Amino acid sequence: MSRLDLAAALARIQPVDAARLASVQGHLDRQAKPQGSLGRLEEFARRFVAITGRQDIRKKIVFTFAGDHGVTAEGVSAFPKEVTPQMVFNFIEGGAAINALARHAGAEVRVVDMGVDYDFPPLEGLLAKKVGYGTRNFAKGPAMSRQDAIRCLEIGIELAQSCLEQGVDLVGTGDMGIGNTTPSAAIVAAFSGLPVAQVTHRGTGISDAALAHKIQVIEAGLQLNAPDPKDPIDVLAKVGGFEIGGIAGLVLGCAALGLPVVVDGFISTAGALIASELHPHVRDYIFAAHQSVEIGHRHMLQRIGQRPMLDLEMRLGEGTGGALAMTLIEGALRSLREVRTFDDAGVSSGNEV
Amino acid sequence: MSRLDLAAALARIQPVDAARLASVQGHLDRQAKPQGSLGRLEEFARRFVAITGRQDIRKKIVFTFAGDHGVTAEGVSAFPKEVTPQMVFNFIEGGAAINALARHAGAEVRVVDMGVDYDFPPLEGLLAKKVGYGTRNFAKGPAMSRQDAIRCLEIGIELAQSCLEQGVDLVGTGDMGIGNTTPSAAIVAAFSGLPVAQVTHRGTGISDAALAHKIQVIEAGLQLNAPDPKDPIDVLAKVGGFEIGGIAGLVLGCAALGLPVVVDGFISTAGALIASELHPHVRDYIFAAHQSVEIGHRHMLQRIGQRPMLDLEMRLGEGTGGALAMTLIEGALRSLREVRTFDDAGVSSGNEV
């Protein structure tokens, strides 16, 4: 397949086939258990099989997209921005939470430098896709140009294509970028029209005073830049981030290429929301990994129309919730493949009572 | 260790050591991530390590306790009672959902015949502990004698002892018994004093009319037998079940012996509730696997004081939710062991902002 640009990717997106969904459910209903009794595991199995045509997962990859944010100059994070490249090195060395949880899930981790303010040497496991040395401060003007926003999306689409070529059957998203709950809150506020205070939270852990300040910074940035909610690329450019754009592109690319994508928490869902606003059927390919502690997250998921698989009060990002959620999809597929039917097991089925 | 009877097991139960809990949390707080950002995974890791003194799981077993129920004569289930022994054969042959999900979790399954109305031949993987050929119909009198209730509890305690001897570090509970949501609802109603209609649901899937009848049967049984909520053994004997008693004993035995126990859904939690009412510190050893669809389940968990790990709308039993929940504990321990500290990873820590 030739390399897909944004327009070509959008043109390929189809709804998931309803007949395939029904066929998988038909088999689940013949298995020796009360109908529907495996609950959402049945949904996970049904959707995975309908999307991929497979009942197993050959290979899983979590992409952790990294980028810096000019808006950190406003003092919106508890951590200094040097932590972004420090954590990239930690990912590459395998010492972070996403590495531990990806190993637990049997997934590989690929770190994508979308725009860290640091010059990395060539490193195995680091994909060098730098669009810039961090975004500009959106409190003072647009975070990036429209051209750079499209570039971010097309990098994500390209990564989805690489997955298809490598036999990856399940893709996960993740993020690293000090300050990135700020653009994420701005994105959901821009699309939903909700008051900024209703979608903005403490990120890595800020005080009440710093939270009030963060809300003011986002309000001012939205007023100054006036992103157009009908134009998701404009929203990404004005108040987004390079890593968020990469995630949006990956999610869009997965939808275009028929790959299920597990979307992690608040920042990943900001990316998924941009993709979902670009095309209404993107949502069919999204598995929402978990409910983040960030208060804006539920509004994103409502807009996308997917329910979280886990609710463990996590708020770390990196792809950690996504890696855990992948294990639930594995379990669901195992049940689909291995549970015998009433007939095969010689078990009497239920009556109308 | 000599074989523990009920009194000896109760005498051994201690609260989990607060200093150990704090020590694990201290390490989690030095790891290179915002403090507390792995949410409940940190709770799972902290509790597992404080209980066991270990950071890994050598061996996991799910015990699926099977028993029949005289109260099925009242027409409270959508499935005929022949399904109980049919499903026991299915478990032994590895074809049921608990087998698939236990394989997914890397756990072994042991089926315990506590009181199925069927004579099984000797079967590998089936533990023959029959207390009777099904309980009596509690709509007409007590389900079992007090002596049999104690026998059920001591069988469960004995199984916990066998786990300790075999190097099992994580135990799961499960159930199979056509009709067993009926005694489970009766148990939570007896302890909580809540109206039967508030804790009684559709089990494997019954109609509105059958549900109304089931509620009447439970109300009548409670009135006739008048179980004493201050005497959990009396509750088990009057309106319980053999498999529920086995589960109660296993949970109690785990608490007595310092083993963490993952408690599955509605029926398993009825057992855990009996154990928890017998001794207030049993709760410290319980991991509540998931929120069942059965409406009485949340009242049981509130009384025990544990929150569910998963909420996937499951209502199958067998231990299926417990097997999935075991994988979350594995993930939590992997993070505890493998995530580097700020110092080791060379990552700057957060500031007060």
Side-chain angles (χ1 to χ4, degrees), chain A residues 284-303:
Chain A
D284 289 15
Y285 299 84
I286 291 174
F287 288 78
H290 76 113
Q291 180 69 62
S292 164
V293 172
E294 283 285 319
I295 60 174
H297 191 222
R298 68 186 64 244
H299 299 291
M300 293 173 173
L301 290 177
Q302 273 166 16
R303 234 183 131 77

mmCIF file of all heavy atoms in Angstrom, chain A residues 284-303:
data_model
loop_
_atom_site.group_PDB
_atom_site.id
_atom_site.type_symbol
_atom_site.label_atom_id
_atom_site.label_comp_id
_atom_site.label_asym_id
_atom_site.label_seq_id
_atom_site.Cartn_x
_atom_site.Cartn_y
_atom_site.Cartn_z
ATOM 1 N N ASP A 284 -15.766 3.489 16.103
ATOM 2 C CA ASP A 284 -15.968 2.039 16.014
ATOM 3 C C ASP A 284 -14.688 1.251 16.303
ATOM 4 O O ASP A 284 -14.756 0.071 16.659
ATOM 5 C CB ASP A 284 -16.408 1.637 14.594
ATOM 6 C CG ASP A 284 -17.824 2.085 14.268
ATOM 7 O OD1 ASP A 284 -18.380 2.937 14.998
ATOM 8 O OD2 ASP A 284 -18.376 1.581 13.264
ATOM 9 N N TYR A 285 -13.544 1.875 16.095
ATOM 10 C CA TYR A 285 -12.255 1.184 16.200
ATOM 11 C C TYR A 285 -11.571 1.433 17.541
ATOM 12 O O TYR A 285 -10.514 0.884 17.814
ATOM 13 C CB TYR A 285 -11.344 1.617 15.030
ATOM 14 C CG TYR A 285 -11.975 1.236 13.711
ATOM 15 C CD1 TYR A 285 -12.921 2.057 13.091
ATOM 16 C CD2 TYR A 285 -11.685 0.012 13.120
ATOM 17 C CE1 TYR A 285 -13.549 1.681 11.921
ATOM 18 C CE2 TYR A 285 -12.302 -0.374 11.943
ATOM 19 C CZ TYR A 285 -13.243 0.464 11.352
ATOM 20 O OH TYR A 285 -13.855 0.060 10.208
ATOM 21 N N ILE A 286 -12.197 2.281 18.356
ATOM 22 C CA ILE A 286 -11.592 2.692 19.628
ATOM 23 C C ILE A 286 -12.042 1.780 20.771
ATOM 24 O O ILE A 286 -13.233 1.546 20.966
ATOM 25 C CB ILE A 286 -11.983 4.153 19.956
ATOM 26 C CG1 ILE A 286 -11.300 5.112 18.973
ATOM 27 C CG2 ILE A 286 -11.634 4.511 21.405
ATOM 28 C CD1 ILE A 286 -11.741 6.573 19.117
ATOM 29 N N PHE A 287 -11.082 1.275 21.536
ATOM 30 C CA PHE A 287 -11.333 0.662 22.836
ATOM 31 C C PHE A 287 -10.841 1.661 23.884
ATOM 32 O O PHE A 287 -9.645 1.953 23.944
ATOM 33 C CB PHE A 287 -10.576 -0.669 22.977
ATOM 34 C CG PHE A 287 -11.159 -1.772 22.132
ATOM 35 C CD1 PHE A 287 -10.917 -1.845 20.770
ATOM 36 C CD2 PHE A 287 -11.970 -2.743 22.702
ATOM 37 C CE1 PHE A 287 -11.463 -2.859 19.989
ATOM 38 C CE2 PHE A 287 -12.525 -3.769 21.936
ATOM 39 C CZ PHE A 287 -12.270 -3.820 20.568
ATOM 40 N N ALA A 288 -11.760 2.200 24.662
ATOM 41 C CA ALA A 288 -11.403 3.191 25.685
ATOM 42 C C ALA A 288 -10.877 2.451 26.905
ATOM 43 O O ALA A 288 -11.627 1.771 27.605
ATOM 44 C CB ALA A 288 -12.613 4.039 26.046
ATOM 45 N N ALA A 289 -9.575 2.551 27.152
ATOM 46 C CA ALA A 289 -8.915 1.678 28.129
ATOM 47 C C ALA A 289 -9.452 1.853 29.538
ATOM 48 O O ALA A 289 -9.776 0.892 30.212
ATOM 49 C CB ALA A 289 -7.411 1.936 28.121
ATOM 50 N N HIS A 290 -9.525 3.108 29.984
ATOM 51 C CA HIS A 290 -9.884 3.290 31.394
ATOM 52 C C HIS A 290 -10.421 4.686 31.651
ATOM 53 O O HIS A 290 -10.267 5.580 30.817
ATOM 54 C CB HIS A 290 -8.680 2.998 32.305
ATOM 55 C CG HIS A 290 -7.644 4.094 32.334
ATOM 56 N ND1 HIS A 290 -7.395 4.843 33.464
ATOM 57 C CD2 HIS A 290 -6.816 4.566 31.379
ATOM 58 C CE1 HIS A 290 -6.442 5.721 33.197
ATOM 59 N NE2 HIS A 290 -6.066 5.580 31.941
ATOM 60 N N GLN A 291 -11.048 4.829 32.801
ATOM 61 C CA GLN A 291 -11.537 6.128 33.249
ATOM 62 C C GLN A 291 -10.416 6.797 34.031
ATOM 63 O O GLN A 291 -10.018 6.306 35.079
ATOM 64 C CB GLN A 291 -12.761 5.911 34.147
ATOM 65 C CG GLN A 291 -13.363 7.181 34.684
ATOM 66 C CD GLN A 291 -14.012 7.993 33.576
ATOM 67 O OE1 GLN A 291 -14.946 7.542 32.943
ATOM 68 N NE2 GLN A 291 -13.482 9.175 33.335
ATOM 69 N N SER A 292 -9.940 7.899 33.519
ATOM 70 C CA SER A 292 -8.883 8.638 34.215
ATOM 71 C C SER A 292 -9.460 9.424 35.387
ATOM 72 O O SER A 292 -10.649 9.741 35.413
ATOM 73 C CB SER A 292 -8.216 9.598 33.237
ATOM 74 O OG SER A 292 -7.460 10.577 33.916
ATOM 75 N N VAL A 293 -8.589 9.776 36.326
ATOM 76 C CA VAL A 293 -8.979 10.654 37.435
ATOM 77 C C VAL A 293 -9.273 12.067 36.928
ATOM 78 O O VAL A 293 -10.073 12.791 37.517
ATOM 79 C CB VAL A 293 -7.847 10.684 38.499
ATOM 80 C CG1 VAL A 293 -8.110 11.732 39.567
ATOM 81 C CG2 VAL A 293 -7.680 9.309 39.131
ATOM 82 N N GLU A 294 -8.657 12.464 35.810
ATOM 83 C CA GLU A 294 -8.857 13.818 35.259
ATOM 84 C C GLU A 294 -10.350 14.032 34.959
ATOM 85 O O GLU A 294 -10.970 13.261 34.222
ATOM 86 C CB GLU A 294 -8.046 13.973 33.957
ATOM 87 C CG GLU A 294 -6.562 14.198 34.181
ATOM 88 C CD GLU A 294 -6.248 15.623 34.661
ATOM 89 O OE1 GLU A 294 -6.844 16.582 34.148
ATOM 90 O OE2 GLU A 294 -5.405 15.752 35.571
ATOM 91 N N ILE A 295 -10.887 15.115 35.480
ATOM 92 C CA ILE A 295 -12.344 15.287 35.416
ATOM 93 C C ILE A 295 -12.872 15.535 34.004
ATOM 94 O O ILE A 295 -14.034 15.301 33.729
ATOM 95 C CB ILE A 295 -12.847 16.412 36.363
ATOM 96 C CG1 ILE A 295 -12.216 17.759 35.982
ATOM 97 C CG2 ILE A 295 -12.578 16.069 37.811
ATOM 98 C CD1 ILE A 295 -12.781 18.935 36.768
ATOM 99 N N GLY A 296 -12.009 15.992 33.109
ATOM 100 C CA GLY A 296 -12.472 16.232 31.737
ATOM 101 C C GLY A 296 -12.600 14.965 30.911
ATOM 102 O O GLY A 296 -13.193 14.974 29.825
ATOM 103 N N HIS A 297 -12.041 13.868 31.421
ATOM 104 C CA HIS A 297 -11.957 12.655 30.617
ATOM 105 C C HIS A 297 -13.320 12.086 30.251
ATOM 106 O O HIS A 297 -13.559 11.680 29.118
ATOM 107 C CB HIS A 297 -11.104 11.614 31.347
ATOM 108 C CG HIS A 297 -10.733 10.443 30.507
ATOM 109 N ND1 HIS A 297 -10.768 9.163 30.963
ATOM 110 C CD2 HIS A 297 -10.344 10.365 29.213
ATOM 111 C CE1 HIS A 297 -10.404 8.342 29.989
ATOM 112 N NE2 HIS A 297 -10.127 9.043 28.924
ATOM 113 N N ARG A 298 -14.240 12.079 31.220
ATOM 114 C CA ARG A 298 -15.554 11.479 30.932
ATOM 115 C C ARG A 298 -16.292 12.256 29.833
ATOM 116 O O ARG A 298 -17.055 11.665 29.065
ATOM 117 C CB ARG A 298 -16.395 11.335 32.192
ATOM 118 C CG ARG A 298 -16.867 12.634 32.836
ATOM 119 C CD ARG A 298 -17.566 12.349 34.162
ATOM 120 N NE ARG A 298 -16.626 11.774 35.119
ATOM 121 C CZ ARG A 298 -16.717 10.532 35.635
ATOM 122 N NH1 ARG A 298 -17.729 9.749 35.305
ATOM 123 N NH2 ARG A 298 -15.817 10.096 36.484
ATOM 124 N N HIS A 299 -16.049 13.562 29.780
ATOM 125 C CA HIS A 299 -16.704 14.357 28.733
ATOM 126 C C HIS A 299 -16.153 14.000 27.349
ATOM 127 O O HIS A 299 -16.882 13.956 26.364
ATOM 128 C CB HIS A 299 -16.533 15.854 29.011
ATOM 129 C CG HIS A 299 -17.147 16.275 30.311
ATOM 130 N ND1 HIS A 299 -18.510 16.296 30.511
ATOM 131 C CD2 HIS A 299 -16.591 16.655 31.487
ATOM 132 C CE1 HIS A 299 -18.758 16.681 31.758
ATOM 133 N NE2 HIS A 299 -17.618 16.903 32.369
ATOM 134 N N MET A 300 -14.856 13.727 27.287
ATOM 135 C CA MET A 300 -14.269 13.266 26.021
ATOM 136 C C MET A 300 -14.897 11.945 25.588
ATOM 137 O O MET A 300 -15.296 11.769 24.435
ATOM 138 C CB MET A 300 -12.764 13.028 26.186
ATOM 139 C CG MET A 300 -11.932 14.268 26.446
ATOM 140 S SD MET A 300 -10.224 13.736 26.814
ATOM 141 C CE MET A 300 -9.384 15.325 26.858
ATOM 142 N N LEU A 301 -14.966 11.003 26.542
ATOM 143 C CA LEU A 301 -15.470 9.664 26.202
ATOM 144 C C LEU A 301 -16.942 9.720 25.804
ATOM 145 O O LEU A 301 -17.378 9.000 24.899
ATOM 146 C CB LEU A 301 -15.261 8.699 27.375
ATOM 147 C CG LEU A 301 -13.805 8.317 27.643
ATOM 148 C CD1 LEU A 301 -13.718 7.425 28.874
ATOM 149 C CD2 LEU A 301 -13.177 7.609 26.450
ATOM 150 N N GLN A 302 -17.700 10.570 26.486
ATOM 151 C CA GLN A 302 -19.115 10.726 26.107
ATOM 152 C C GLN A 302 -19.231 11.213 24.669
ATOM 153 O O GLN A 302 -20.058 10.739 23.904
ATOM 154 C CB GLN A 302 -19.807 11.718 27.034
ATOM 155 C CG GLN A 302 -20.353 11.068 28.295
ATOM 156 C CD GLN A 302 -20.744 12.086 29.357
ATOM 157 O OE1 GLN A 302 -20.880 13.280 29.064
ATOM 158 N NE2 GLN A 302 -20.909 11.623 30.579
ATOM 159 N N ARG A 303 -18.379 12.174 24.321
ATOM 160 C CA ARG A 303 -18.426 12.736 22.968
ATOM 161 C C ARG A 303 -18.031 11.685 21.931
ATOM 162 O O ARG A 303 -18.613 11.617 20.846
ATOM 163 C CB ARG A 303 -17.466 13.912 22.882
ATOM 164 C CG ARG A 303 -18.136 15.171 22.383
ATOM 165 C CD ARG A 303 -17.205 16.320 22.230
ATOM 166 N NE ARG A 303 -17.438 16.887 20.912
ATOM 167 C CZ ARG A 303 -18.471 17.661 20.612
ATOM 168 N NH1 ARG A 303 -19.352 18.009 21.522
ATOM 169 N NH2 ARG A 303 -18.612 18.098 19.378
#
